[in-house]
Structure formats: structure tokens, C-alpha cells
Amino acid sequence: MDPDFWHERWQQKQTGFHQTQVNPLLETFWPRCVGPARPRVFVPLCGKSLDMIWLRNRGHSVLGNDLSPIAVDEFVRENGLSASAALLGNGFIRVQSDDMSLLCGNYFDLPPELMGEIGAVYDRAALVAMPPEMQDRYAGQILRLLPHRPPMLLITLEYDPSEMDGPPFPIPEETVVRLFGPAYRIELLSARDTLEGNPQLRAKGLSRLTEKAYWLRAQTPA
């Protein structure tokens, strides 16, 4: 799961993880959880997700991060955005289109000073992209980047790991609690069977696939 793996996936157009429609769990739960507020949203490992366009159209400023310049370029081009690019001193490239900002570079190298003001996090494809040995590091980076603990909509997948090698990787509920429980109150919003809607994963041998949505809010100090 080194960076070359993901660069090759984008270069070879092996991007079955990209969804061609807005995630229905985002559409259902984001308005309920966030309410009328319009915080600036961080989307880690964003790829070229249409979810970012949906968030922007609801009035949010969006900060996305992805390793692949191909993903960033295709996002801008396929959505007809007018954007400018700047090479930053730390090696990241910032692509800016009005209130949409994309930081191209390795998530684990992302410094807090590039984040700006973040009021919420949306993770559909980041944690599930991490093998078990990298999940603690992923969560630790989120907490380091955002020490004020903004709320997070987290979407995960669960399946029998003996049936398929990730990515995407299964994230059982106890893993979510272990990674984020010390910092966040965790509410399970939804659990739905999505195997029928993922024929490429069913073809790999999965007999069950559950997609879960969690709403994470900062722990209230005692």
C-alpha cells in the first residue's frame, strides 16, 4: 500500500472505487447532522469524488486531499471547473477553484498549517483504503491535523476478510471505536446491505457487504 500502488491504479484507470453518483448516505445524513450550518469541509483521499461537488453546491467550502495528480486533474476537467495551481514550498500542489481547494500530495505528509479553518470532515474512501497496519496512523494524522475535533461523517464497509483482499478494507465497528472513541462520541447512523450494488466486489467472492455511516462528535470534557 505504498504511494506507487495508488499512482498505478490511477495511471491504469483501475478506479473501481470511484462512484459515478453522489453517495446516498451523504445525501441522507449530512443535512440532518450538520443542520443549517455551512462549515468548511475536509475530504481526505478525495480522488475525483462527486461528493465534493454536492457539498460545494450546498454552500460549503471544501478542502480535498489526494495523492494522485491524475485524480485532481480529472476532477477539475470533468466538472468544468476553472482552477489555478500553485506549487507550495513543502512539495504539495494547491489547486484552487473558487471555494474548492485541492491539495495534491501524500496525506501522511500533510502539515497542519495547510489546513486552514476546518469545521467538519467527510470520509467515505480514506479509512477503508487503509490496510489494518495503517489504520492507526491514518486516525492519528486526522487528530494531529484537526486537534479541535470537528465533527465527522465516516462511511465504512464490513465484510468477511477471508473472502477478499482489500482495498477497500473492512472496518468493523470495534475498530471505529478503538481509533476514534477516545476523542469522539460515535453514533451509528445506518447499516445497509450493499452487495447487490457492488458487482465488482461480489465478483471477487464476497457473500456479504455492509456499508455503515457514523457521525462523530467531539467528546465533551468531564
Side-chain angles (χ1 to χ4, degrees):
M1 298 304 298
D2 62 13
D4 287 343
F5 173 88
W6 293 108
H7 284 305
E8 289 176 9
R9 293 289 290 265
W10 282 99
Q11 290 165 359
Q12 298 172 10
K13 300 188 182 300
Q14 296 177 358
T15 54
F17 49 84
H18 173 67
Q19 294 184 344
T20 57
Q21 296 179 328
V22 175
N23 188 283
L25 295 178
L26 174 67
E27 293 178 306
T28 298
F29 292 111
W30 189 266
R32 194 184 93 179
C33 292
V34 175
R38 295 294 182 266
R40 186 165 178 256
V41 182
F42 177 49
V43 185
L45 279 66
C46 61
K48 56 177 184 177
S49 174
L50 295 176
D51 296 345
M52 294 190 290
I53 297 295
W54 185 88
L55 288 166
R56 186 200 63 178
N57 289 344
R58 283 188 58 83
H60 295 276
S61 296
V62 176
L63 174 66
N65 164 242
D66 201 88
L67 177 69
S68 172
I70 296 175
V72 173
D73 178 70
E74 290 185 0
F75 175 79
V76 170
R77 179 165 42 83
E78 292 174 6
N79 291 289
L81 303 178
S82 177
S84 60
L87 178 62
L88 306 180
N90 48 27
F92 278 78
I93 298 174
R94 184 192 300 274
V95 176
Q96 190 74 38
S97 177
D98 297 325
D99 51 3
M100 179 85 68
S101 184
L102 303 175
L103 293 172
C104 186
N106 193 320
Y107 164 81
F108 292 107
D109 296 331
L110 192 60
E113 58 266 25
L114 289 186
M115 300 299 291
E117 183 178 345
I118 297 295
V121 179
Y122 172 58
D123 176 351
R124 181 198 71 80
L127 182 56
V128 295
M130 301 290 161
E133 65 270 19
M134 295 181 68
Q135 291 165 10
D136 286 87
R137 187 180 173 203
Y138 167 80
Q141 173 72 333
I142 279 276
L143 300 177
R144 185 180 74 90
L145 292 173
L146 303 170
H148 58 295
R149 307 294 185 260
M152 180 190 316
L153 179 61
L154 173 65
I155 297 176
T156 66
L157 297 173
E158 292 187 14
Y159 62 84
D160 183 347
S162 70
E163 295 181 341
M164 186 187 84
D165 294 327
F169 293 93
I171 310 293
E173 190 167 341
E174 56 265 29
T175 297
V176 175
V177 172
R178 180 177 61 79
L179 294 176
F180 295 108
Y184 283 97
R185 290 177 291 158
I186 300 169
E187 177 186 0
L188 176 62
L189 301 173
S190 172
R192 60 174 191 152
D193 181 1
T194 58
L195 187 61
E196 289 300 316
N198 288 274
Q200 74 279 14
L201 297 182
R202 189 175 56 201
K204 292 184 177 182
L206 289 192
S207 61
R208 177 185 63 85
L209 181 66
T210 303
E211 186 177 42
K212 290 187 174 182
Y214 300 89
W215 184 239
L216 279 60
R217 291 171 291 176
Q219 289 279 16
T220 303

